[in-house]
């Protein structure tokens, strides 16, 4: 028996607002719903993940999800989200972004089967590009009053925040355009429900109002809370910026580390929102974690589930391997398995020295104290090497006569030196 979609979201803490009658309508059989996604970039980031997870649950409960990429609305800018207007994208860039986003969504949604509830990708540019301004204002503009549009929180907040700059007509009309998307999908694809973040409530209900006034029909809305961190910081942001789903922008190792490092309170919340684990598994994991929080079992489970879902089992295994480099007993063989980007991610921020390739082979103490500044003197280097406190590429070296050669260069570029348990140094071979 399929799960009840609203009940599933409710226990996961994923419902902020829901229009009356939505749950009853869902109980009548397979329903279609959509989420709007802005295609201004060629990768989604974890800020998009909540809406995507809602669509994933929606499909898992036997319903038909639509992912709408806003080829038209993405050119304008939503006042509820940004303080600045966006740049117009050319069609080629837009097509590239849409293609990349569909590929990423395919990791979460079934677009390819012949199931009646397979996911569909639509682009509002397709129905907006030939819609003239005169026709749009005549057909749609007359249906919604300025008073109604001004009453929306997204508009009020923007006007009060930017009182000196005001708000452009372009941005003001955003809710009409988004509302028209809902009307179009309702009429052409029988999409009766729009899903989105809490900040989208005003735009979504403009759509339900348009459908009511145009067709005399009932449409529905469901929003999820905006994700926050327990300490009040912004979710999904790090010093380096967004956490992207594209492995070229955020490596699977960095992605894994992000989830691994969340607080206990956030892990308890996020494991419900960002994984498909069932209630029994999650509650057992929370109870086990609370018995010994220092083991960070919840964070490890969360990081594993999300990394496998977004990337792959292999990417998760590599991230785990990379994590052991700094904090566990890893081997030279494991070190050499890391791809270059992960290697650099793991050792980002460690002191780095460079030597020329022609300087190899080099006598160990000469390399450590003269060619680099890993040790202040050969005497200190000798003492630590002989005491067994020095490793090269995770191999302990105790022979002071050891010659460092090309064979010690990892990936043809790096040598990793380690003093004691925690002090790492990277030697770039150029």
């Amino acid at each position: 028996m399929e799960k009840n979609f609203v009940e599933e979201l409710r226990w996961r803490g994923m419902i902020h607002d829901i229009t009356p009658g939505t749950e009853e309508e869902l109980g009548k059989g397979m329903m279609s719903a959509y989420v709007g996604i802005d295609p201004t970039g060629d990768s989604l980031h974890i800020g998009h993940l909540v809406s995507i997870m809602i669509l994933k649950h929606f499909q898992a409960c036997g319903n038909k999800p639509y992912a709408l990429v806003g080829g038209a609305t993405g050119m304008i800018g939503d006042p509820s989200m940004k303080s600045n207007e966006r740049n117009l994208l050319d069609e080629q860039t837009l097509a590239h972004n849409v293609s990349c986003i569909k590929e990423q969504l395919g990791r979460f949604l079934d677009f390819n089967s012949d199931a009646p509830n397979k996911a569909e990708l639509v682009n509002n540019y397709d129905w907006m590009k030939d819609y003239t301004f005169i026709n749009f204002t005549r057909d749609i503009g007359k249906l919604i009053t300025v008073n109604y549009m001004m009453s929306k929180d997204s508009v009020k907040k923007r006007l009060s925040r930017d009182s000196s700059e005001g708000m452009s007509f372009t941005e003001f009309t955003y809710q009409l355009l988004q509302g028209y998307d809902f009307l179009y999908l309702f009429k052409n694809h029988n999409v009766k429900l729009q899903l989105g973040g809490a900040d989208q409530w005003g735009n979504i209900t403009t759509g339900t109002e348009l459908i009511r006034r145009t067709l005399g029909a009932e449409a529905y809305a469901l929003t999820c809370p905006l994700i926050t961190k327990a300490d009040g910081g912004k979710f999904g942001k790090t010093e380096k910026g967004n956490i992207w789903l594209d492995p070229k922008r955020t490596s699977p190792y960095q992605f894994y580390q992000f989830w691994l490092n969340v607080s206990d309170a956030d892990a308890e919340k996020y494991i419900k929102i960002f994984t498909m684990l069932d209630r029994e598994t999650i509650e057992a994991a929370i109870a086990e974690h609370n018995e010994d929080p220092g083991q960070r079992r919840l964070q490890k489970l969360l990081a594993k589930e999300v990394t496998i879902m977004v990337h792959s089992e292999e990417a998760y295994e590599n991230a785990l391997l990379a994590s052991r480099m700094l904090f566990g007993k890893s081997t030279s063989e494991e070190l050499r398995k890391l791809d270059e980007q992960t290697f650099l991610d793991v050792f980002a921020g460690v002191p780095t020295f460079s030597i020329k390739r022609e300087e190899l082979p080099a006598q160990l103490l000469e390399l450590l104290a003269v060619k680099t500044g890993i040790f202040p003197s050969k005497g200190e280097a000798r003492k630590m090497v002989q005491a067994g406190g020095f490793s090269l590429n995770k191999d302990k070296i105790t022979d002071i006569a050891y010659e460092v050669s090309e064979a010690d260069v990892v990936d043809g570029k790096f040598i990793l030196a380690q003093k004691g348990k925690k002090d790492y140094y990277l030697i770039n071979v150029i």
Side-chain angles (χ1 to χ4, degrees):
M1 191 181 136
E2 273 153 359
K3 291 176 182 173
N4 177 302
F5 175 62
V6 175
E7 275 178 20
E8 185 70 16
L9 293 194
R10 201 170 270 134
W11 80 259
R12 289 178 184 273
M14 292 172 80
I15 296 181
H16 188 268
D17 281 307
I18 182 169
T19 48
T22 304
E23 201 163 356
E24 291 75 8
E25 190 65 28
L26 279 157
K28 293 177 183 175
M30 188 178 83
M31 192 175 179
S32 295
Y34 87 97
V35 162
I37 294 166
D38 165 23
T40 47
D42 60 4
S43 174
L44 301 171
H45 52 72
I46 61 172
H48 294 107
L49 262 187
V50 189
S51 300
I52 295 168
M53 291 305 293
I54 286 183
L55 273 190
K56 189 171 172 65
H57 282 294
F58 189 69
Q59 189 171 39
C61 291
N63 298 295
K64 187 174 179 68
Y66 282 75
L68 179 146
V69 287
T73 40
M75 293 177 170
I76 292 165
D78 176 358
S80 66
M81 298 296 284
K82 303 284 182 206
S83 55
N84 298 316
E85 290 190 40
R86 296 177 178 141
N87 298 324
L88 259 99
L89 298 171
D90 59 63
E91 284 193 53
Q92 195 179 351
T93 306
L94 204 53
H96 167 73
N97 292 354
V98 169
S99 160
C100 294
I101 287 169
K102 182 174 184 183
E103 194 179 327
Q104 288 183 342
L105 288 172
R107 295 201 65 86
F108 303 88
L109 304 171
D110 165 24
F111 285 98
N112 300 315
S113 75
D114 50 9
N117 71 325
K118 76 167 189 168
E120 306 283 349
L121 186 85
V122 290
N123 183 349
N124 62 14
Y125 187 69
D126 294 338
W127 57 82
M128 289 307 301
K129 65 177 187 288
D130 298 323
Y131 204 168
T132 67
F133 179 71
I134 290 173
N135 287 344
F136 184 81
T137 48
R138 185 192 63 195
D139 300 343
I140 305 301
K142 68 182 182 188
L143 297 171
I144 301 288
T145 66
V146 170
N147 296 30
Y148 178 85
M149 292 169 77
M150 292 285 286
S151 70
K152 300 293 183 178
D153 279 347
S154 58
V155 174
K156 287 198 279 199
K157 278 180 192 167
R158 178 65 194 267
L159 287 172
S160 62
R161 189 174 64 217
D162 291 345
S163 52
S164 58
E165 293 172 27
M167 181 181 188
S168 72
F169 173 75
T170 313
E171 289 185 295
F172 185 56
T173 54
Y174 187 92
Q175 62 173 289
L176 278 186
L177 290 166
Q178 188 171 328
Y180 179 69
D181 286 341
F182 199 177
L183 175 61
Y184 180 91
L185 291 173
F186 187 98
K187 277 164 63 174
N188 293 279
H189 297 279
N190 197 31
V191 174
K192 293 184 177 178
L193 171 64
Q194 188 179 166
L195 309 163
D199 58 336
Q200 291 296 314
W201 182 256
N203 293 334
I204 295 173
T205 50
T206 297
T208 60
E209 187 65 12
L210 263 181
I211 290 163
R212 189 182 66 77
R213 293 184 187 187
T214 310
L215 307 172
E218 193 76 35
Y220 304 91
L222 185 154
T223 60
C224 56
L226 295 180
I227 305 302
T228 54
K229 284 166 66 178
D231 65 4
K234 191 167 181 184
F235 168 75
K237 289 278 189 184
T238 66
E239 287 172 22
K240 293 179 180 175
N242 283 322
I243 302 293
W244 299 93
L245 306 196
D246 183 341
K248 292 192 287 292
R249 292 198 186 196
T250 300
S251 70
Y253 168 73
Q254 289 172 322
F255 187 85
Y256 174 77
Q257 286 293 321
F258 170 81
W259 299 100
L260 194 62
N261 290 318
V262 302
S263 69
D264 287 353
D266 287 337
E268 195 166 321
K269 182 166 73 169
Y270 296 167
I271 201 158
K272 294 173 185 171
I273 296 170
F274 296 109
T275 78
M276 296 297 284
L277 296 171
D278 61 40
R279 187 170 190 165
E280 197 181 339
T281 305
I282 287 174
E283 286 174 352
I286 290 169
E288 192 183 351
H289 173 86
N290 289 338
E291 283 174 21
D292 186 2
Q295 293 289 323
R296 298 180 74 76
R297 287 192 183 98
L298 205 55
Q299 284 91 336
K300 286 173 185 171
L301 180 61
L302 169 67
K304 175 186 178 179
E305 290 293 318
V306 187
T307 304
I308 290 173
M309 180 172 59
V310 170
H311 294 294
S312 66
E313 184 96 37
E314 186 188 4
Y316 161 69
E317 293 294 345
N318 285 340
L320 211 53
L321 189 69
S323 298
R324 296 220 327 255
M325 285 298 145
L326 287 177
F327 310 113
K329 290 181 177 176
S330 52
T331 64
S332 176
E333 190 185 346
E334 288 174 333
L335 180 74
R336 290 173 187 273
K337 280 183 188 172
L338 297 184
D339 61 88
E340 183 181 339
Q341 187 53 57
T342 305
F343 186 99
L344 291 172
D345 287 341
V346 172
F347 298 106
V350 307
T352 303
F353 301 93
S354 293
I355 62 165
K356 292 192 168 69
R357 197 169 297 276
E358 51 265 31
E359 294 180 73
L360 295 176
Q363 198 275 327
L364 181 64
L365 302 184
E366 179 82 5
L367 178 71
L368 298 178
V370 180
K371 295 183 186 297
T372 68
I374 293 172
F375 286 90
S377 69
K378 284 186 180 180
E380 286 203 31
R382 180 184 290 109
K383 202 183 296 179
M384 184 169 267
V385 171
Q386 288 176 329
F390 176 80
S391 298
L392 205 65
N393 299 331
K394 291 288 176 181
D395 286 332
K396 200 174 284 295
I397 307 286
T398 53
D399 179 8
I400 56 169
Y402 185 85
E403 281 217 331
V404 182
S405 69
E406 189 70 42
D408 294 303
V409 183
V410 177
D411 252 356
K413 292 178 182 174
F414 313 107
I415 299 170
L416 182 69
Q418 184 179 351
K419 286 159 63 171
K421 285 184 178 175
K422 293 181 180 173
D423 292 341
Y424 288 94
Y425 301 84
L426 203 55
I427 302 170
N428 282 330
V429 181
I430 54 177

